[in-house]
Amino acid sequence: NKSKLKKYALSSSLMDVSISYNGELFKFNLHKEIKIRESHISADILSQPSVYGFLTMLHKALIKELGHAKVDETKAYATSYLKYKGQKNEETGRSNSEEVAKQKAERSILYLQAQRKVIDLNHDVNRIEGCVRAFEQRKDMLQTLSANRRKEQL
């Protein structure tokens, strides 16, 4: 009798991770990757650092990409704001007010696209951070199982 959460972990699409970075697509199922098979503990212990290292490096690279995207978002807003601030209001014949320029800039396609990119990258950063944490927990489990095995052999 499986718990509901375990059933979700086995079958939910949330466990299917797909991250694009630098033109490369990384796809894996987190449940399958963190699964521990007692018959493979020695091999898993040896491969754990490489996998953990890859996920950590991907996480850091995505954080950098997110930082660049935030700069682009700020630039997109500023560009749009200046464009609308410099335009004349057809009704008054004067330049747009600061408030009108802000509202138009916030609705500009350039700015909205930049915001969406920041949101998507933030989501990727958080998902990979979750994967890193799962592998940290996996490491702890492997250490415990390995220690228990050694005790049994004594």
Side-chain angles (χ1 to χ4, degrees), residues 77-111:
Y77 176 83
T79 300
S80 297
Y81 174 81
L82 291 173
K83 172 185 161 189
Y84 292 117
K85 184 70 176 132
Q87 288 179 347
K88 290 200 186 285
N89 184 320
E90 290 177 17
E91 294 172 16
T92 65
R94 294 189 306 228
S95 292
N96 284 322
S97 70
E98 195 169 308
E99 192 57 37
V100 168
K102 282 181 182 178
Q103 289 174 0
K104 287 185 176 221
E106 287 172 358
R107 291 192 317 248
S108 76
I109 296 296
L110 186 68
Y111 181 57

Side-chain angles (χ1 to χ4, degrees), residues 15-79:
M15 298 300 269
D16 293 324
V17 179
S18 179
I19 302 283
S20 181
Y21 173 73
N22 213 17
E24 209 171 342
L25 182 64
F26 304 104
K27 291 172 78 169
F28 57 92
N29 179 281
L30 183 60
H31 172 73
K32 289 178 183 171
E33 294 294 333
I34 61 173
K35 187 175 184 168
I36 296 173
R37 295 173 312 264
E38 290 214 45
S39 60
H40 293 89
I41 288 178
S42 296
D44 285 352
I45 288 171
L46 294 174
S47 68
Q48 173 83 9
S50 295
V51 175
Y52 181 78
F54 167 75
L55 286 174
T56 303
M57 295 306 287
L58 180 59
H59 181 241
K60 301 308 177 199
L62 288 171
I63 289 171
K64 179 182 177 190
E65 193 173 321
L66 176 61
H68 287 293
K70 286 179 179 180
V71 169
D72 291 344
E73 178 186 30
T74 301
K75 283 185 352 189
Y77 176 83
T79 300

Side-chain angles (χ1 to χ4, degrees), residues 115-145:
Q115 279 186 314
R116 284 187 191 101
K117 184 171 182 178
V118 167
I119 290 166
D120 290 345
L121 279 169
N122 204 38
H123 179 64
D124 287 350
V125 165
N126 290 332
R127 287 171 57 214
I128 290 298
E129 182 181 0
C131 294
V132 167
R133 288 186 178 171
F135 269 87
E136 287 169 351
Q137 185 176 18
R138 183 178 190 268
K139 169 196 62 104
D140 295 342
M141 290 298 300
L142 285 170
Q143 285 176 337
T144 301
L145 290 170

Side-chain angles (χ1 to χ4, degrees), residues 2-13 15-16 29 31-32 35:
K2 292 181 184 172
S3 76
K4 289 251 186 213
L5 288 176
K6 187 170 183 181
K7 196 157 71 171
Y8 294 140
L10 289 167
S11 63
S12 173
S13 65
M15 298 300 269
D16 293 324
N29 179 281
H31 172 73
K32 289 178 183 171
K35 187 175 184 168

